[in-house]
Amino acid sequence: MKHLSNDNLASLEMFLFLFFFALFGWPIITIVDRTHDSSIFIYLFLVWGIVILLIALISLSLKPSHSSHGTNEESGEG
Amino acid sequence: MINPLTLIAVIILYIGCLFAVALWVERKGSRGRKWANSPVVYTLSLAIYCTAWTYYGSVGNATKSGLMFLALYLGPTLSVLLWWTVLRKLVRIKKLYHITSIADFISARYDKSSAIAALATMIALIGTTPYIALQLKSIFSAVGIIKAPELLATGSVDRFTSDLIVILLIFLTISFGVRRLDSSERHQGMVTILALESVVKLVAFLAVGIFVTYGLFDGFSDIFVRLSKSSHSYLMSFGGKEEAPYIPWTSTLIFSMCVVVFLPHQFHVAVVENPDENHIRTAMWMFPLYMLLITLFTFPVGIGGLLKGLPISGADGFALVLPLRFGPSWLTVLTFIGGFSAATGMIMVCSMTLSTMMTNHLLLPLIGNNERLSFLKRHLLKCRWVAVGAVISLGYWFERQAGNSYALTSIGLVSFAAMLQFAPPILGGIFWRGGNKAGALSGLGAGFLVWFYTMFLPSLIKSGWLPTTLLESGPFGIALLRPEQLFGLSGFAPVSHTFFWSMAFNISFFVLGSLYFEQSKTERSIAGEFVDVLSGDSVMNRPIQGEADINLEEKCEEAELVLCQYIDKKKAKESCLKCLRAVGIYEKQWIYASELFDFHNMIERELAGFVGAASAREAIKRGMSLSSKESKEISEVYAEILADLNVTPADLRRTVDFYQEREVLLNSHFTELEEKVRERDTQINERVQVEEALRGSEQFLGSIIDFLPDATYVIDHAGTVISWNRAMETLTGIVAGDMLGKGDYAYSKAFYGTNRPMLIDLVADPIKAYIEGGYEGLGMTPEGLLYEEIHVPNFKGQDAYFMATAARLYDQHGNQAGAIESIRVITERKKAEKALKVAHDSLELTVEERTKALRDAKEHAETANKAKSVFLSHMSHELRTPLNAILGYSRLMQRDNTISPEQREHLGTINRSGEHLLSLINDVLEISRIEAQRIHIETTEFDLGAVISDVYAMFRLKAAAKNLQFILDGMQDLPRYVLTDEGKLRQILINLIGNAIKFTEEGGIAVRASLRGNSTSDKWLLLEVEDTGPGIANEELEKVFQAFEQTASGRQVVGGTGLGMPISRKFARMLGGDITLSSTVGKGSVFRVDLPIMEGTKTDIPGEKTVTQKRVMGLAPGQAVPRILVAEDVMESRALLVKLLQMTGFDVREAVNGLEAVEIASEWHPHFIWMDIRMPVMDGMEAARRIKGSSWGEKIGIAALTASGLLEDRDSIMTAGFDEFVRKPFLEQEIFDIMRKHLGLVYLYDNESEETVSQEANSGFSAQQMRKAMTPELRNELLSAVIALDTNQAIKAVEKIAITDPFVGKVLMQLALDLDYDHLLRLVEEAD
């Protein structure tokens, strides 16, 4: 998978954040909840699942960070 | 109902498992295998976000506010979208600055301000306390529900249990989280435990959810349908009964976005414990997925509880109560463990990170300002332990005070709102360069105060600690300042209200403060580093300025002194060396000023890991200052860099630091790689050495096997030959080279000509080999070795036998590595065995034949012996029967007074001859019985002295007749009564004394008696008979005691059978003693008799009386004439007895056999019966048995008359019913005495016949007759001749006597001619 550049990543992250924040926020959630039935339950978990799926895809496309290898902080003592 | 003990056992077991896993992980980690470095473990450790609040509280929340609880998890999910930027930045900064906690992070950002660190610590402590209280409450409630399910709403535990739980939690936290000082180091064991606990709580809650949704109901739709029809249908929304739910929903979404990272414990696991930035990528999707799964059933569980009629007040416990009431016990226990895990994970991490903050940011600044507390610097670890206890105890105290006033959700929100105050300074710090210390300090303070006023204070008021007027009217009655309606803002839920105002104040003050106050240079520099930590693209080399004239040793000492204030000397030295290596000046003596600057920075970062950035900065400032020269040189270096690069100092510093960090990381990586290479080299060397040792061992083993004298070979686990020794080569003719490496039973071809399993295969692969078979004569030694004797009919053309022994071979791990078999040729041995077997069989046959022959011989001997006994018995009978007649008639005739003296003399001769013959027969029979061991000892108690005196008296005259001195000595020392066989003792004495007198012609005989032995049970009678006879030669001494043997001197003396001495010795030996003889030829002999005796206890023995034997002349008048039946087949014997009885006056009838006797007896009823034993038709025993068995014959006395000389016949005869036993030839006196005894008869006696039986029997005339026949002169003459043993003189004297009485003269003449001086002497003495 092609790795996302830092600029693209930041933009995508922010876009998705705002998008899903909107999906989970007023007024959409109020509209979904208008019928007071199981649709709100299904809606929330469905969108949640989609978010997770998207994050998983994004995380796969993230360029691994190289600055974290071989840290000297880890204890041998435990 | 769950047994509390079971629950305790499960908890202990669970904690034990966690301990074991933690220790295992840490041990593995110390060996380089860092299991906790896994991204999955990292993600699962983040799941401590789902605490008991999620586990229990969200269920309760769902029953009140519907799906509102989901906002707590959707917020973090949204924030995760930004983690690659935000969280990665935090992690990167943490690594650069050795950040130990969230307070340390904020402090580090804002000029390493101690004040900010202290404030952040205070906020964290106060804000987290309710959250810890929430966890404790959930544990206590769960335990309370388990103990008393009926008290659902008020589930709680007693004080003791809650104290115990708190102590356990403190112990767990210290054990796993606070075991070392460097807080920036990762806690692998603890992180692994957190991950495990996350798995457990997820599995547990899913199990409960599935049970409720699909066990108690028919799935989600069923629950939703039922809910829509119930009074709780309002819960099917995201706000429940809330009028404007979107406000709390949105506010919860926002602050949960923040707190998922900014809660102290979340910051710790997400940032401080992060081992690798790339783990964030996994956590970004896995953590939301975890939250989705764990909350998927929260709503159904809550609604399920309501639908099952559980009270809404106890909704927080639905997750536990539902399985407890409706489910299996294991599910309840699992649910409890899940809740326990959710609570303990949070408490452990939270108290651990708070303890670090408290010591670093509260205690250390306090120590810095107070010298008296400086000693605590060296006890920071212990201070942290105390802090852990204090934090948990504070939470416990809060739970006790306010726990019952709030639901779990409410308590959690109080904490969340407090922790939200960290968001502006942190986010502002990493994204806004302008944020400064003043802004952060004022923002944090303001936000915290607002939180305290609008949320914490109301909670205290609601708990009853403060008056409610403050809540209702505001302070001083100012309504605008009412805590929950600040500045008149109403309609908001308390959480939204606090969220709004605290954020408004916090952000406002932060921004305004930062804008109003100017940043310091350092602060600007740090701000740049924080904001741009993920950037930094240029690479530059630092120019070297000046000279390397700074003594590194001195600087190291300074650094160690600073470090030693907080850690021990050894650790300080290690840290210092670590910094030297990181800077690249290790092993240098002189360094440049720029290198010193780097060294200072590195030491500060190292120290920050222990005490936090702020305290580290202060410590370095105090202990490691730069001289003016050093400062100048550093300034020049950086000025030149700036000039060259045309960049700002901040950019330069950032870039330098970035690459320095890169360098450190690369150096570290390099060092690690070097270490790994060294380890690998060591491993390779070790392996080479092991292989060489193995080869050497194999060669050594091979040599040993080769040396073995038995043919031996070895196969490996695949059946391939790996060793074939020299003996095997010799045996089979196959060299090792041709056999090594071959498999498929190739080795068997040498023996059987075909490939087939051998014994070695049976141990190598038992099943396969057993199936293929061919084993016979298998055996196993006690040590477990298998052996088999093998017969190969055609081995190299010959019949051959082998003994094979085989065993398995194992490698060092105990796995089967192969097998070994040793083969020994035993052909010669088998041949020898065969020959031996033939010989053995032959020998057995011979032995059998010999045994049979011996058995036959024995049978013959026994038959012969029996025949001999029968013969002796018959002979005795046959001899005694005529003797009986001879003696009987001769005596009977002597009773006749009408016979002439000459006839009487003839009768006397007949009588004496008969008696001599009878004596001979008796002696022969005696020796025969002794040899046949048919003589029995009859022990009686008798007068010993009387017996010896009697015998002595018997021979006294005889000795006198031979003019011998006859002495009896030692009688006074003997006990009077002894226990032994009197008869045999008497016989021995008679034989010995008689023998001595017989062989002694001059001198004398001495009889000495004595006793030896002290104890009553060990007394011996010693009798010595010494004579002055001719003596016996040594070589003839033993002949004396041999039957029918005579010595040279014995042969010179006529008379005697030669049986006296053998009989005496045998008697003595039968009595337990012996007779010994010592003799000197020409001087005499001494016979010694040794007999064991027992002293008697009697004082007198009755019945010992002299029986005067008178001749019976007839029955006394006045008595009825007894009827006597005589049964005897021999006419002479029968007639003798009949005549004797008839002459005496008895009414006698006779019978010729037993049957006739029975018939006569049955008709005639005799008073007494004399019954012969051996008779034709019916013997006497059967006749007696019949008579005694009849009614009429029961009282008839029957006496047995037998000519048998064998005493043992007496017993068998008496058992037939006889009353008496008389041996032929009988004495008249015996006959009459027996009848007197049984019939009570009184006899008439002949007074003149008053003489001893022996006299009468020996001479045939009476003493009176003797006195008449000789004058006193003649008697003295005869006595002198007899004593002098002068035969001629004796004959002359007798001839003179014969003139007076020819009969007496003739008898005496015969005695003189017979040289029977004894008899002659006795007769003369009796006549005196």
Side-chain angles (χ1 to χ4, degrees):
Chain A
M1 185 176 284
K2 188 180 177 184
H3 293 298
L4 290 169
S5 70
N6 284 342
D7 292 340
N8 290 341
L9 175 67
S11 304
L12 180 63
E13 281 177 352
M14 190 50 69
F15 168 74
L16 289 175
F17 175 80
L18 294 173
F19 176 71
F20 284 109
F21 188 81
L23 287 180
F24 285 133
W26 181 87
I28 295 175
I29 194 167
T30 312
I31 296 167
V32 176
D33 191 37
R34 194 176 46 188
T35 53
H36 283 273
D37 56 16
S38 59
S39 57
I40 182 68
F41 184 87
I42 296 166
Y43 170 79
L44 288 173
F45 277 95
L46 187 65
V47 177
W48 196 355
I50 292 168
V51 173
I52 293 168
L53 188 64
L54 280 173
I55 295 172
L57 291 172
I58 290 169
S59 68
L60 286 174
S61 67
L62 289 175
K63 196 163 72 175
S65 171
H66 298 292
S67 65
S68 58
H69 291 300
T71 61
N72 58 352
E73 303 170 69
E74 288 159 6
S75 166
E77 235 179 288
Chain B
M1 186 72 181
I2 305 295
N3 188 337
L5 289 177
T6 307
L7 199 64
I8 291 168
V10 171
I11 290 173
I12 290 171
L13 188 66
Y14 180 62
I15 292 172
C17 289
L18 293 180
F19 259 109
V21 170
L23 290 175
W24 181 74
V25 168
E26 291 186 353
R27 196 161 295 172
K28 289 285 179 186
S30 66
R31 292 173 188 169
R33 301 185 68 177
K34 296 170 179 173
W35 295 82
N37 282 2
S38 158
V40 176
V41 172
Y42 172 71
T43 307
L44 289 171
S45 70
L46 290 176
I48 60 164
Y49 177 76
C50 300
T51 63
W53 189 19
T54 303
Y55 204 86
Y56 296 118
S58 291
V59 174
N61 196 13
T63 61
K64 298 176 185 71
S65 307
L67 297 170
M68 179 68 77
F69 73 94
L70 280 178
L72 281 170
Y73 310 98
L74 292 174
T77 302
L78 292 176
S79 73
V80 160
L81 283 164
L82 305 174
W83 272 13
W84 191 242
T85 302
V86 178
L87 185 56
R88 194 159 63 103
K89 216 168 193 179
L90 299 176
V91 170
R92 183 75 62 86
I93 293 166
K94 161 250 171 181
K95 286 175 184 170
L96 285 174
Y97 286 88
H98 284 215
I99 300 299
T100 59
S101 65
I102 192 167
D104 195 28
F105 186 92
I106 298 170
S107 162
R109 165 62 180 83
Y110 298 105
D111 202 18
K112 299 178 183 175
S113 164
S114 301
I116 289 182
L119 179 61
T121 300
M122 288 301 295
I123 293 171
L125 179 62
I126 296 170
T128 311
T129 297
Y131 205 39
I132 293 173
L134 181 154
Q135 309 305 322
L136 292 174
K137 183 184 177 184
S138 71
I139 296 175
F140 298 159
S141 299
V143 174
I145 288 169
I146 293 283
K147 285 177 70 179
E150 67 281 1
L151 302 175
L152 174 60
T154 58
S156 61
V157 291
D158 55 89
R159 185 61 183 262
F160 173 76
T161 308
S162 58
D163 288 350
L164 200 66
I165 291 170
V166 168
I167 290 168
L168 183 66
L169 288 170
I170 293 171
F171 171 73
L172 280 176
T173 306
I174 291 172
S175 300
F176 293 121
V178 196
R179 287 172 52 200
R180 55 178 183 274
L181 190 59
D182 190 349
S183 307
S184 67
E185 290 180 352
R186 296 192 64 237
H187 304 81
Q188 294 188 51
M190 192 195 68
V191 169
T192 308
I193 285 180
L194 295 177
L196 268 180
E197 287 185 329
S198 295
V199 173
V200 170
K201 67 191 175 193
L202 177 63
V203 169
F205 201 82
L206 285 175
V208 176
I210 291 167
F211 166 72
V212 173
T213 309
Y214 297 99
L216 299 180
F217 300 96
D218 289 336
F220 285 93
S221 56
D222 181 40
I223 291 173
F224 293 147
V225 169
R226 290 180 186 226
L227 177 63
S228 61
K229 294 175 182 174
S230 72
S231 59
H232 304 292
S233 59
Y234 61 90
L235 293 173
M236 190 57 82
S237 71
F238 71 96
K241 288 181 177 177
E242 291 276 349
E243 290 180 0
Y246 52 87
I247 297 176
W249 173 268
T250 308
S251 56
T252 305
L253 264 183
I254 293 171
F255 71 67
S256 64
M257 285 178 202
C258 302
V259 296
V260 73
V261 175
F262 301 143
L263 279 168
H265 58 278
Q266 286 298 126
F267 185 87
H268 188 88
V269 293
V271 179
V272 179
E273 296 287 350
N274 179 291
D276 189 336
E277 290 176 10
N278 290 307
H279 289 357
I280 297 170
R281 294 197 308 162
T282 306
M284 283 173 66
W285 64 268
M286 194 181 279
F287 177 56
L289 180 63
Y290 184 96
M291 289 190 294
L292 182 145
L293 290 173
I294 204 167
T295 54
L296 183 62
F297 291 99
T298 301
F299 190 69
V301 169
I303 301 304
L306 292 176
L307 293 175
K308 282 291 178 186
L310 297 178
I312 196 167
S313 57
D316 285 344
F318 281 3
L320 192 59
V321 173
L322 284 171
L324 184 63
R325 290 199 180 174
F326 305 106
S329 300
W330 65 264
L331 183 59
T332 309
V333 174
L334 180 64
T335 311
F336 177 84
I337 293 294
F340 183 79
S341 300
T344 52
M346 180 269 162
I347 293 172
M348 278 199 299
V349 182
C350 193
S351 56
M352 182 191 77
T353 190
L354 279 174
S355 71
T356 303
M357 287 192 266
M358 287 165 70
T359 50
N360 288 357
H361 309 307
L362 297 179
L363 183 64
L364 280 176
L366 201 63
I367 292 170
N369 295 326
N370 192 338
E371 280 299 315
R372 281 180 300 179
L373 297 175
S374 59
F375 74 94
L376 288 174
K377 286 181 182 176
R378 301 298 302 274
H379 300 286
L380 284 181
L381 188 60
K382 293 184 183 70
C383 292
R384 281 188 188 160
W385 294 348
V386 174
V388 166
V391 168
I392 296 176
S393 299
L394 189 64
Y396 181 39
W397 171 82
F398 188 84
E399 192 278 335
R400 303 295 301 185
Q401 300 303 320
N404 292 330
S405 308
Y406 284 93
L408 295 181
T409 306
S410 305
I411 298 176
L413 288 174
V414 170
S415 288
F416 272 31
M419 297 306 108
L420 187 62
Q421 308 311 315
F422 293 135
I426 291 176
L427 292 175
I430 61 174
F431 288 108
W432 183 35
R433 291 173 193 274
N436 64 13
K437 182 167 65 177
L441 195 59
S442 56
L444 260 181
F448 176 69
L449 285 175
V450 171
W451 167 81
F452 188 86
Y453 185 72
T454 59
M455 183 156 267
F456 197 70
L457 196 62
S459 70
L460 297 180
I461 293 168
K462 288 172 183 172
S463 298
W465 292 4
L466 295 170
T468 54
T469 51
L470 183 67
L471 207 57
E472 292 162 359
S473 313
F476 313 110
I478 306 169
L480 280 176
L481 295 179
R482 280 181 296 181
E484 290 188 331
Q485 293 172 358
L486 193 62
F487 305 125
L489 184 65
S490 59
F492 277 44
V495 175
S496 304
H497 177 264
T498 302
F499 168 72
F500 177 79
W501 283 119
S502 65
M503 281 296 100
F505 277 83
N506 192 333
I507 294 169
S508 303
F509 276 79
F510 174 63
V511 173
L512 293 173
S514 297
L515 292 175
Y516 185 78
F517 296 100
E518 195 176 344
Q519 284 179 317
S520 68
K521 285 183 181 176
T522 318
E523 203 177 349
R524 269 203 299 277
S525 170
I526 294 172
E529 289 173 12
F530 271 60
V531 173
D532 299 324
V533 72
L534 295 179
S535 61
D537 302 321
S538 62
V539 178
M540 53 166 288
N541 290 320
R542 185 182 301 167
I544 301 301
Q545 188 76 19
E547 293 179 2
D549 55 358
I550 301 171
N551 191 333
L552 182 59
E553 196 176 340
E554 290 175 4
K555 297 298 176 187
C556 282
E557 286 174 3
E558 279 181 10
E560 284 178 18
L561 279 175
V562 171
L563 292 169
C564 278
Q565 293 176 18
Y566 305 95
I567 54 179
D568 61 67
K569 195 167 183 178
K570 187 184 172 193
K571 185 91 177 167
K573 207 166 189 64
E574 286 174 2
S575 296
C576 193
L577 287 173
K578 188 177 160 187
C579 293
L580 288 173
R581 284 198 186 92
V583 176
I585 54 176
Y586 182 62
E587 292 181 342
K588 282 188 178 179
Q589 191 174 359
W590 302 94
I591 58 172
Y592 295 101
S594 58
E595 288 172 330
L596 176 63
F597 182 73
D598 293 339
F599 181 61
H600 274 209
N601 285 340
M602 198 55 67
I603 290 290
E604 184 182 332
R605 289 180 188 180
E606 185 69 18
L607 187 58
F610 297 107
V611 299
S615 299
R617 165 65 62 87
E618 289 300 318
I620 294 296
K621 272 184 184 173
R622 285 198 300 269
M624 294 183 70
S625 58
L626 295 171
S627 67
S628 57
K629 180 174 178 289
E630 290 162 356
S631 299
K632 185 184 173 191
E633 282 184 10
I634 291 168
S635 299
E636 286 172 355
V637 168
Y638 283 97
E640 191 173 334
I641 292 170
L642 292 172
D644 288 346
L645 297 177
N646 195 21
V647 294
T648 65
D651 289 341
L652 178 64
R653 186 185 179 98
R654 186 175 65 250
T655 307
V656 169
D657 283 348
F658 174 77
Y659 283 101
Q660 277 183 336
E661 186 64 27
R662 289 289 299 268
E663 188 184 352
V664 167
L665 293 174
L666 288 172
N667 280 339
S668 172
H669 190 49
F670 176 72
T671 307
E672 194 173 310
L673 284 175
E674 264 192 339
E675 188 63 33
K676 282 184 179 170
V677 168
R678 264 198 302 277
E679 282 178 9
R680 191 59 55 89
D681 284 346
T682 307
Q683 287 173 356
I684 289 169
N685 286 335
E686 285 175 353
R687 186 162 186 163
V688 166
Q689 285 173 2
V690 168
E691 284 175 352
E692 280 180 2
L694 193 63
R695 275 197 294 275
S697 177
E698 281 176 354
Q699 190 151 0
F700 182 66
L701 192 63
S703 301
I704 291 173
I705 292 174
D706 211 35
F707 175 74
L708 292 175
D710 288 338
T712 306
Y713 67 107
V714 181
I715 61 171
D716 62 13
H717 65 281
T720 307
V721 179
I722 57 174
S723 181
W724 187 268
N725 79 344
R726 206 171 298 161
M728 199 71 181
E729 289 179 339
T730 308
L731 177 65
T732 60
I734 300 171
V735 296
D738 293 343
M739 188 54 69
L740 293 175
K742 287 190 176 176
D744 191 26
Y745 313 130
Y747 33 83
S748 64
K749 205 164 186 175
F751 295 91
Y752 298 105
T754 179
N755 288 14
R756 51 157 289 186
M758 288 181 56
L759 185 64
I760 197 169
D761 302 297
L762 194 62
V763 297
D765 189 354
I767 297 172
K768 186 180 176 188
Y770 188 77
I771 291 169
E772 296 193 24
Y775 299 100
E776 289 176 0
L778 281 173
M780 186 176 282
T781 65
E783 295 79 24
L785 290 178
L786 211 59
Y787 62 84
E788 182 189 15
E789 208 171 270
I790 304 164
H791 177 216
V792 182
N794 189 15
F795 180 72
K796 295 182 177 177
Q798 290 183 340
D799 202 31
Y801 287 90
F802 303 101
M803 173 57 79
T805 309
R808 285 185 184 178
L809 297 174
Y810 298 94
D811 61 16
Q812 69 272 29
H813 304 297
N815 300 319
Q816 188 180 333
I820 184 169
E821 181 173 358
S822 172
I823 298 172
R824 182 174 294 179
V825 182
I826 56 167
T827 307
E828 293 304 318
R829 196 187 86 192
K830 292 298 289 185
K831 283 180 182 173
E833 281 178 4
K834 275 185 178 175
L836 191 63
K837 190 170 186 312
V838 170
H840 180 261
D841 292 345
S842 170
L843 186 62
E844 270 192 346
L845 193 63
T846 306
V847 167
E848 200 174 324
E849 287 171 354
R850 293 282 166 84
T851 305
K852 187 172 181 301
L854 285 172
R855 197 182 300 122
D856 291 346
K858 186 186 172 197
E859 284 173 2
H860 286 151
E862 285 175 350
T863 307
N865 194 34
K866 197 171 178 182
K868 176 189 162 193
S869 297
V870 172
F871 170 76
L872 285 172
S873 179
H874 284 187
M875 278 305 295
S876 171
H877 185 267
E878 296 307 320
L879 286 171
R880 281 168 181 270
T881 300
L883 265 177
N884 184 49
I886 291 167
L887 290 172
Y889 276 108
S890 66
R891 285 171 188 158
L892 199 64
M893 286 171 72
Q894 281 181 328
R895 296 167 69 94
D896 188 355
N897 292 326
T898 61
I899 60 171
S900 65
E902 191 177 359
Q903 286 173 322
R904 191 178 297 277
E905 184 186 344
H906 291 160
L907 284 172
T909 304
I910 290 168
N911 212 325
R912 286 194 301 276
S913 300
E915 285 187 350
H916 184 65
L917 183 58
L918 184 60
S919 171
L920 282 172
I921 291 168
N922 284 343
D923 277 353
V924 171
L925 284 175
E926 197 74 28
I927 199 76
S928 169
R929 278 157 50 201
I930 290 169
E931 285 177 354
Q933 296 181 342
R934 291 180 180 176
I935 293 286
H936 303 289
I937 302 298
E938 295 178 8
T939 302
T940 56
E941 188 170 353
F942 60 92
D943 187 339
L944 176 62
V947 170
I948 297 173
S949 297
D950 280 353
V951 178
Y952 176 76
M954 188 185 297
F955 288 97
R956 185 169 50 83
L957 289 175
K958 199 169 186 177
K962 290 182 79 173
N963 203 21
L964 297 173
Q965 192 178 5
F966 191 24
I967 301 167
L968 177 61
D969 190 21
M971 294 298 288
Q972 67 280 3
D973 298 328
L974 298 180
R976 183 173 179 187
Y977 295 107
V978 295
L979 282 162
T980 186
D981 189 322
E982 179 191 353
K984 290 182 177 56
L985 176 62
R986 185 185 292 273
Q987 188 68 43
I988 289 168
L989 271 175
I990 288 170
N991 286 343
L992 290 177
I993 296 172
N995 203 50
I997 291 174
K998 186 176 174 182
F999 287 95
T1000 305
E1001 296 302 330
E1002 57 183 7
I1005 294 109
V1007 178
R1008 287 184 287 272
S1010 60
L1011 202 66
R1012 63 181 176 87
N1014 296 322
S1015 65
T1016 52
S1017 60
D1018 185 27
K1019 286 197 171 175
W1020 290 76
L1021 172 67
L1022 177 61
L1023 294 169
E1024 284 184 347
V1025 178
E1026 185 176 0
D1027 64 56
T1028 54
I1032 303 164
N1034 281 338
E1035 61 272 16
E1036 290 189 317
L1037 286 178
E1038 278 305 308
K1039 278 188 178 178
V1040 173
F1041 298 108
Q1042 289 174 2
F1044 309 109
E1045 288 279 352
Q1046 281 191 316
T1047 59
S1049 56
R1051 282 190 290 274
Q1052 294 172 5
V1053 179
V1054 294
T1057 58
L1059 294 174
M1061 284 301 107
I1063 290 171
S1064 297
R1065 174 175 260 193
K1066 289 184 188 299
F1067 278 176
R1069 288 183 175 175
M1070 286 174 72
L1071 294 173
D1074 203 357
I1075 298 177
T1076 55
L1077 166 63
S1078 59
S1079 182
T1080 306
V1081 176
K1083 289 188 176 179
S1085 306
V1086 181
F1087 286 86
R1088 291 186 185 83
V1089 184
D1090 261 310
L1091 293 177
I1093 56 168
M1094 287 179 67
E1095 212 168 318
T1097 55
K1098 290 183 179 176
T1099 54
D1100 193 16
I1101 299 178
E1104 272 201 347
K1105 55 189 178 185
T1106 306
V1107 177
T1108 304
Q1109 295 187 359
K1110 298 177 183 178
R1111 177 171 292 167
V1112 175
M1113 298 304 292
L1115 292 167
Q1119 301 177 88
V1121 177
R1123 294 187 295 276
I1124 308 297
L1125 174 61
V1126 175
E1128 170 68 77
D1129 61 323
V1130 179
M1131 188 272 287
E1132 291 81 5
S1133 297
R1134 186 175 70 245
L1136 173 63
L1137 185 56
V1138 169
K1139 191 165 186 178
L1140 177 65
L1141 294 173
Q1142 283 175 340
M1143 283 173 68
T1144 311
F1146 289 96
D1147 184 5
V1148 184
R1149 289 184 69 171
E1150 53 191 293
V1152 295
N1153 56 53
L1155 183 61
E1156 192 177 342
V1158 173
E1159 288 170 358
I1160 292 171
S1162 66
E1163 292 172 4
W1164 192 46
H1165 297 299
H1167 295 100
F1168 198 86
I1169 300 173
W1170 290 98
M1171 184 82 76
D1172 186 25
I1173 298 301
R1174 290 190 187 175
M1175 289 187 290
V1177 183
M1178 180 185 289
D1179 64 18
M1181 292 176 71
E1182 177 60 26
R1185 203 173 288 123
R1186 289 195 184 186
I1187 291 168
K1188 283 287 184 180
S1190 67
S1191 57
W1192 45 265
E1194 189 180 1
K1195 293 181 179 175
I1196 298 174
I1198 306 175
L1201 270 173
T1202 177
S1204 171
L1206 302 176
L1207 273 176
E1208 63 272 22
D1209 291 345
R1210 178 191 172 100
D1211 295 336
S1212 58
I1213 287 169
M1214 293 303 283
T1215 55
F1218 286 96
D1219 299 301
E1220 296 292 342
F1221 178 88
V1222 175
R1223 187 175 288 118
K1224 297 175 188 172
F1226 54 81
L1227 295 173
E1228 288 177 18
Q1229 195 63 38
E1230 279 183 286
I1231 300 294
F1232 291 126
D1233 282 348
I1234 287 171
M1235 286 194 295
R1236 183 184 60 195
K1237 178 181 167 188
H1238 282 272
L1239 302 176
L1241 298 175
V1242 179
Y1243 296 113
L1244 291 176
Y1245 295 96
D1246 177 7
N1247 290 332
E1248 290 187 356
S1249 68
E1250 190 177 335
E1251 56 187 6
T1252 61
V1253 174
S1254 60
Q1255 285 173 325
E1256 193 175 2
N1258 287 337
S1259 60
F1261 49 81
S1262 65
Q1264 189 181 12
Q1265 197 175 356
M1266 184 80 173
R1267 278 193 297 275
K1268 286 179 181 176
M1270 64 179 81
T1271 61
E1273 292 77 17
L1274 273 178
R1275 188 179 55 81
N1276 289 335
E1277 186 184 343
L1278 181 58
L1279 183 62
S1280 301
V1282 172
I1283 292 171
L1285 298 178
D1286 187 343
T1287 307
N1288 293 328
Q1289 188 62 34
I1291 290 171
K1292 285 177 184 173
V1294 170
E1295 283 173 346
K1296 290 174 185 175
I1297 293 168
I1299 295 169
T1300 309
D1301 189 333
F1303 174 69
V1304 172
K1306 198 164 186 176
V1307 170
L1308 295 178
M1309 183 59 75
Q1310 186 61 46
L1311 289 172
L1313 291 174
D1314 290 344
L1315 300 175
D1316 192 351
Y1317 292 107
D1318 294 345
H1319 205 162
L1320 273 174
L1321 183 61
R1322 191 164 65 245
L1323 288 173
V1324 172
E1325 282 182 340
E1326 284 170 357
D1328 189 5

